[in-house]
């Protein structure tokens, strides 16, 4: 007799159907995505609910709303789908002759300010190199590197993950940028005192960099409260150029944005920002990925000024 604990209650195809229905909230939308008929999608849902013994969707006004049980089930299934997508991508690379492509995942600022310059150097040294670059949020970037969808991730201040090695390419810092003609434009270093009462553009107070700015402002008895919250430095910089306020951005964005229409200032107290590369801990780094890392480190150390801590003023 079959052990009930080993019976297959749901297969991968049914999980795929449930995921699509959860995304579209209708069997019609799920059927179009999966290339199935609408009755086949409905039957897959009914069969899964019958075998598992719980309702997976509530039917409300012709919409299918996932139950808490369905959400738990699909949350545990997500790593399977990510692995499947990785295998699909590699299979496609083999079919199209793209095996050996260097896959890079990067956050928004580094996709604009760092990666293009390093890829220029990499292509000069390796003319036949083929690249796939994706710009992702931090959580997506980490998932891509962990699943093998990306060979390397590039990010600022990434969180620690036991499955990944985080290699510091350089320790940069947070900078201030001021609109054209601003009264503070001639000051090389700005402090929370200097920007008191001014409109601030920068990360939200609860964001990782925002927390560091909160602490820096508190040391001077000031409060960090951005008038415009901008998650990414490459978004904050154009806002400053439009005269909307004083911005807090990473050093790469501050110093290397083409045709920048703002003045650049050190900020005291210093807020360090580590630029890191992420690779899998238990997998050897492929040759082209290592070449990219070496060139990125060399570029950053050459282009950014030597690290010198600006003078700090005592808090009042």
């Amino acid at each position: 007799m079959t052990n009930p604990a080993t019976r297959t209650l749901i297969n991968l195809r049914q999980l795929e159907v449930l995921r699509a229905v959860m995304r579209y909230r209708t069997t019609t939308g799920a059927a179009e995505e999966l290339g199935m008929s609408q009755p086949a999608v409905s039957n897959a849902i009914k069969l899964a609910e019958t075998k598992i013994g719980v309702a997976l969707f509530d039917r409300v006004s012709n919409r299918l709303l996932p139950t808490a049980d369905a959400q738990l089930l699909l949350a545990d299934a997500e790593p399977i789908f990510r692995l499947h997508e990785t295998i699909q991508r590699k299979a496609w690379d083999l079919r199209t002759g793209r095996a050996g492509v260097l896959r890079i995942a990067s956050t928004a600022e580094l996709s604009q300010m760092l990666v293009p310059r390093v890829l220029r150097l990499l292509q000069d040294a390796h003319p036949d190199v083929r690249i796939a670059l994706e710009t992702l949020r931090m959580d997506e970037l980490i998932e891509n590197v962990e699943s093998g969808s990306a060979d390397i991730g590039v990010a600022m201040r990434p969180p620690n993950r036991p499955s990944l090695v985080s290699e510091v390419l350089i320790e940069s810092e947070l900078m201030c940028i001021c609109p054209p003609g601003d009264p503070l434009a001639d000051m090389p270093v700005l402090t929370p005192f200097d920007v008191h009462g001014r409109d601030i553009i920068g990360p939200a107070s609860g964001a990782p960099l925002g927390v560091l700015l909160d602490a820096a402002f508190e040391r001077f008895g000031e409060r960090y409260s951005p008038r415009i919250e901008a998650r990414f430095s490459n978004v904050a910089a154009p806002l400053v150029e439009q005269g909307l306020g004083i911005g807090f951005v990473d050093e790469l964005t501050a110093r290397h944005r083409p045709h920048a229409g703002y003045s650049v200032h050190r900020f005291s107290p210093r807020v360090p920002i580590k630029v890191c590369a992420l690779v899998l801990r238990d997998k050897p780094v492929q040759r082209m990925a290592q070449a990219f890392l070496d060139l990125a480190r060399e570029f950053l150390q050459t282009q950014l000024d030597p690290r010198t801590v600006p003078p700090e003023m005592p808090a009042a």
Side-chain angles (χ1 to χ4, degrees):
M1 181 178 291
T2 303
N3 184 346
T6 64
R7 289 170 53 197
T8 300
L9 298 182
I10 189 167
N11 58 37
L12 291 176
R13 184 55 170 171
Q14 288 169 326
L15 280 173
E16 190 176 27
V17 169
L18 297 182
R19 187 185 190 218
V21 173
M22 184 179 291
R23 184 157 48 234
Y24 288 96
R25 299 295 199 262
T26 67
T27 54
T28 302
E32 289 178 358
E33 177 182 297
L34 298 173
M36 300 171 61
S37 67
Q38 186 272 335
V41 171
S42 296
N43 288 337
I45 295 172
K46 291 176 183 177
L47 180 60
E49 290 180 325
T50 298
K51 294 185 86 171
I52 297 174
V54 298
L56 297 174
F57 294 92
D58 292 323
R59 282 73 176 172
V60 180
S61 301
N62 296 321
R63 307 283 287 178
L64 294 173
L65 304 182
T67 63
D69 289 327
Q71 292 173 348
L72 284 172
L73 187 65
L74 268 298
D76 285 342
E78 275 305 314
I80 298 174
F81 290 114
R82 287 198 296 273
L83 179 60
H84 179 253
E85 289 165 1
T86 298
I87 295 171
Q88 284 279 71
R89 188 177 291 115
K90 289 183 179 178
W92 185 255
D93 286 345
L94 291 170
R95 175 174 175 171
T96 58
R98 287 171 54 84
V101 171
L102 175 60
R103 297 190 176 276
I104 302 170
S106 174
T107 50
E109 298 95 336
L110 296 180
S111 284
Q112 186 172 357
M113 298 300 160
L114 173 65
V115 175
R117 292 167 171 83
V118 178
L119 289 183
R120 175 72 272 171
L121 298 171
L122 184 67
Q123 194 169 67
D124 288 344
H126 305 276
D128 296 329
V129 65
R130 287 171 293 176
I131 304 292
L133 171 63
E134 287 203 61
T135 302
L136 302 169
R137 298 194 318 263
M138 183 72 77
D139 57 338
E140 294 174 326
L141 182 150
I142 289 172
E143 287 177 0
N144 270 251
V145 178
E146 285 185 325
S147 70
S149 294
D151 300 305
I152 187 170
V154 188
M156 289 185 250
R157 300 187 71 252
N160 292 326
R161 295 291 279 263
S163 61
L164 301 178
V165 174
S166 179
E167 181 176 341
V168 178
L169 301 176
I170 199 168
E171 184 176 281
S172 63
E173 61 188 275
L174 203 66
M175 309 287 282
C176 289
I177 55 177
C178 294
D182 192 277
L184 300 176
D186 293 331
M187 300 177 62
V189 180
L190 297 180
T191 72
F193 284 150
D194 299 316
V195 299
H196 175 79
R198 301 292 301 274
D199 290 338
I200 298 296
I201 302 170
S205 295
L209 282 178
V211 171
L212 297 179
L213 279 167
D214 278 335
F217 272 65
E218 285 179 6
R219 288 179 59 183
F220 282 72
E222 299 285 340
R223 180 170 173 263
Y224 172 69
S225 180
R227 183 178 180 88
I228 300 178
E229 294 180 357
R231 182 176 183 179
F232 299 113
S233 292
N234 58 335
V235 174
L239 299 176
V240 173
E241 289 178 315
Q242 292 299 313
L244 294 173
I246 293 175
F248 285 92
V249 300
D250 69 272
E251 189 172 359
L252 273 172
T253 299
R255 295 192 185 280
H256 295 285
R257 188 165 180 267
H259 314 298
Y262 50 71
S263 57
V264 179
H265 312 261
R266 307 291 289 276
F267 178 65
S268 177
R270 187 173 185 268
V271 177
I273 304 178
K274 292 179 180 179
V275 181
C276 300
L278 299 171
V279 295
L280 278 173
R281 182 174 298 279
D282 298 324
K283 181 180 178 181
V285 178
Q286 61 157 286
R287 181 177 64 88
M288 205 54 65
Q290 187 60 56
F292 177 89
L293 286 177
D294 293 341
L295 288 169
R297 187 183 301 103
E298 180 181 350
F299 172 82
L300 288 168
Q301 293 175 352
T302 301
Q303 293 298 315
L304 294 186
D305 292 340
R307 303 281 68 78
T308 56
V309 180
E312 297 194 359
M313 297 172 57

